[in-house]
């Protein structure tokens, strides 16, 4: 702005001089003088404009010195120089911050990949290069699904629910097991964090195999012992009262161990990720009828048992696994409901999901225990659980079966009033009948 009044003063001065010439000489002389003076003024400004234009055409103007200027142009060049200095400073600060950030992320033990909204790689650290067998220089802007080819990963990316990490076996490096976690941020960008859990998985596999092997080894001797005990009690070979009592006790304990071994084997089968869920149509109405019969035989007339079927939607999944999970819920309801109580079984569709519920008017559960019920061997009352033939593994089995079917368990309970256990199945697990 300071150049403008200077320019105005020059024009006013020239006009005044031209006016004086007009008065002293004549109008022609005055106009001649005025035109010449304006022409010189234009040439002066054009010269500096040319300097500025040349300077702006240099590929990196900030590296070349600005031309010197006088008057208004001096001001313009000085301001431009200041602006360039400030810009250079903030550029340097930004580069330093970026370098620090890159050094920090490179030192991280986790792999980090920045994905844009179309899941193309924007940046990744060296650990991610190792994990995914990629080279950032070569693979920048590539679709991440071209490089991480597991179908579960493509599905994980598309469901947009990244609350749980995904475990994948890296096929480019067979021995590597990765835990992948996506974190959405900014403008539809995503951070893909990879952790090498090969050793952890190795220990977990060892634990699973050990439990499965021990259970398997125990199965046969227990069957033999149980068989002998049964024969002994049937044939009435033991005559003393003490011997008879001991035989009953030994038979009960053997049965308990057999149940435990069976439950442990079921759990290790469910935990084995190689063991894929069978995808068959499951007629829940039929299963519900069977469970109703089972509940009646377990209850032996001690409870009022009802069932309601509000939909004929079928489930896509494994019949054996689902039947075992539902049967555990039914058996719990009977075992934890005093005589004369009610047990209701139902299958309905709600909010687009399939809901299987077992409700009882039994002893109920304190709120503090509810989050831990699905842990192995967690019991609210150990003697009650054992007394009714429990193994402490029933709800752990239920949780695993539901997880494998992308379903979740909802528990509502009040001590002294009763409990409700519902399994919620997502829409993709439902097969809607044509007449629905
Ligand atoms: P358990 O073999 O001991 O029944 P579960 O895993 O099936 O083992 O259940 C864990 C615990 O949850 C039980 O020991 C019991 O305390 C509680 N529980 C499960 N179902 C019910 C129910 N319907 N009513 C009251 N408590 C229950």
């Amino acid at each position: 702005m300071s150049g403008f009044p200077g320019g105005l003063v020059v024009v006013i001065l020239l006009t005044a001089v031209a006016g004086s010439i007009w008065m002293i000489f004549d109008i022609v002389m005055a106009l001649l003088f005025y035109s010449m003076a304006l022409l010189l003024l234009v040439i002066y400004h054009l010269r500096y404009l040319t300097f500025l234009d040349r300077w702006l055409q240099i590929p990196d103007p900030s590296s070349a010195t600005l031309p010197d200027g006088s008057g208004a142009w001096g001001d313009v060049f000085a301001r431009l120089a200041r602006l360039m200095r400030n810009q250079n400073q903030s550029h340097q600060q930004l580069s330093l911050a970026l370098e620090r950030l890159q050094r920090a992320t490179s030192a991280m033990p986790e792999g980090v990949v920045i994905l844009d909204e179309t899941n193309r790689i924007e940046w990744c650290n060296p650990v991610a290069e190792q994990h995914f067998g990629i080279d950032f220089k070569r693979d920048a802007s590539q679709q991440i699904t071209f490089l991480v080819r597991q179908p579960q990963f493509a599905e994980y990316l598309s469901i947009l629910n990244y609350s749980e990490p995904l475990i994948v076996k890296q096929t480019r490096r067979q021995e590597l097991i990765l835990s992948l976690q996506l974190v959405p941020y900014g403008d539809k960008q995503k951070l893909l964090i990879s952790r090498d859990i090969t050793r952890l998985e190795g220990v977990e596999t060892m634990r699973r195999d050990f439990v499965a092997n021990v259970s398997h080894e125990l199965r046969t001797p227990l069957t033999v012992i149980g068989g002998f005990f049964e024969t002994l009690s049937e044939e009435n070979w033991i005559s003393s009262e003490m011997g008879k009592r001991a035989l009953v006790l030994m038979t009960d304990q053997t049965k308990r161990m057999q149940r435990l071994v069976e439950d442990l084997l079921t759990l290790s089968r469910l935990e084995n990720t190689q063991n894929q869920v069978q995808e068959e149509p499951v007629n829940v109405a039929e299963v519900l009828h069977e469970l109703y019969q089972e509940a009646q035989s377990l209850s032996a007339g001690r409870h009022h048992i009802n069932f309601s079927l509000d939909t004929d939607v079928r489930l896509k999944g494994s019949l054996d696994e689902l039947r075992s999970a539902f049967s555990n819920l039914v058996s719990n309801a009977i075992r934890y409901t005093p005589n004369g109580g009610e047990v209701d079984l139902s299958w309905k569709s709600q909010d687009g999901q399939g809901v299987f519920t077992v409700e009882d008017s039994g002893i109920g559960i304190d709120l503090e225990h509810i989050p831990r019920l699905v842990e192995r061997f967690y019991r609210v009352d150990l003697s009650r659980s054992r007394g009714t033939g429990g193994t402490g593994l029933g709800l752990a089995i239920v949780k695993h079966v539901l997880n494998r079917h992308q379903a979740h368990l909802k528990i509502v309970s009040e001590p002294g009033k009763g409990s409700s256990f519902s399994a919620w199945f997502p829409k993709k697990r439902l097969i809607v009948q044509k007449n629905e």
Side-chain angles (χ1 to χ4, degrees), residues 91-150:
H91 187 263
Q92 266 174 9
Q93 278 167 356
L94 263 174
S95 308
L96 270 172
L98 198 68
E99 207 179 301
R100 271 202 302 271
L101 197 75
Q102 286 193 349
R103 273 209 303 269
T105 38
S106 299
M108 273 169 72
E110 280 96 13
V112 179
V113 184
I114 295 178
L115 300 174
D116 69 8
E117 64 176 301
T118 56
N119 298 323
R120 288 176 192 278
I121 299 174
E122 276 189 354
W123 181 82
C124 72
N125 70 351
V127 181
E129 289 185 311
Q130 271 176 29
H131 283 175
F132 300 114
I134 57 178
D135 174 357
F136 176 59
K137 287 199 187 91
R138 187 192 61 211
D139 297 321
S141 301
Q142 272 273 20
Q143 275 284 343
I144 186 74
T145 41
F146 289 167
L147 305 163
V148 185
R149 292 194 156 269
Q150 285 81 346

Side-chain angles (χ1 to χ4, degrees), residues 263 328-337 358-360 362-366 369 372-382 384-386 388-398 411 413 418-421:
D263 278 358
N328 270 308
L329 294 180
V330 172
S331 124
N332 281 353
I334 301 284
R335 292 192 296 117
Y336 297 108
T337 303
V358 179
E359 208 171 340
D360 63 58
I363 58 171
I365 309 154
D366 259 327
H369 297 291
R372 300 199 55 193
L373 291 183
V374 292
E375 288 174 20
R376 286 149 199 255
F377 300 115
Y378 187 86
R379 283 107 151 188
V380 177
D381 178 344
L382 182 64
R384 183 159 204 145
S385 159
R386 284 203 176 145
T388 54
T391 59
L393 295 172
L395 290 181
I397 292 176
V398 173
I411 307 172
S413 186
S419 316
S420 147
F421 288 75

Side-chain angles (χ1 to χ4, degrees), residues 95-231:
S95 308
L96 270 172
L98 198 68
E99 207 179 301
R100 271 202 302 271
L101 197 75
Q102 286 193 349
R103 273 209 303 269
T105 38
S106 299
M108 273 169 72
E110 280 96 13
V112 179
V113 184
I114 295 178
L115 300 174
D116 69 8
E117 64 176 301
T118 56
N119 298 323
R120 288 176 192 278
I121 299 174
E122 276 189 354
W123 181 82
C124 72
N125 70 351
V127 181
E129 289 185 311
Q130 271 176 29
H131 283 175
F132 300 114
I134 57 178
D135 174 357
F136 176 59
K137 287 199 187 91
R138 187 192 61 211
D139 297 321
S141 301
Q142 272 273 20
Q143 275 284 343
I144 186 74
T145 41
F146 289 167
L147 305 163
V148 185
R149 292 194 156 269
Q150 285 81 346
Q152 322 95 283
F153 179 69
E155 199 184 322
Y156 181 61
L157 260 180
S158 64
I159 53 166
L160 304 175
N161 173 11
Y162 312 127
S163 51
E164 291 284 319
L166 175 77
I167 313 290
V168 292
K169 228 186 201 133
Q170 184 52 305
T171 42
R172 289 182 172 207
R173 290 180 53 194
Q174 276 298 338
E175 74 282 10
L176 205 64
I177 300 174
L178 296 175
S179 158
L180 305 181
Q181 176 85 59
L182 274 162
V183 186
Y185 78 98
D187 190 17
K188 293 189 179 156
Q189 284 171 305
K190 293 179 208 92
L191 211 61
L192 173 63
I193 299 170
S194 59
R195 283 185 199 96
D196 181 356
I197 54 158
T198 317
R199 274 191 53 198
L200 218 78
E201 276 294 296
V203 174
E204 184 59 17
T205 310
M206 242 162 68
R207 180 197 64 79
R208 254 194 330 256
D209 289 351
F210 176 74
V211 174
N213 289 340
V214 170
S215 313
H216 201 77
E217 291 298 325
L218 286 175
R219 202 187 206 176
T220 319
L222 279 174
T223 316
V224 175
I225 298 171
F228 276 124
F229 284 154
E230 240 163 69
T231 320

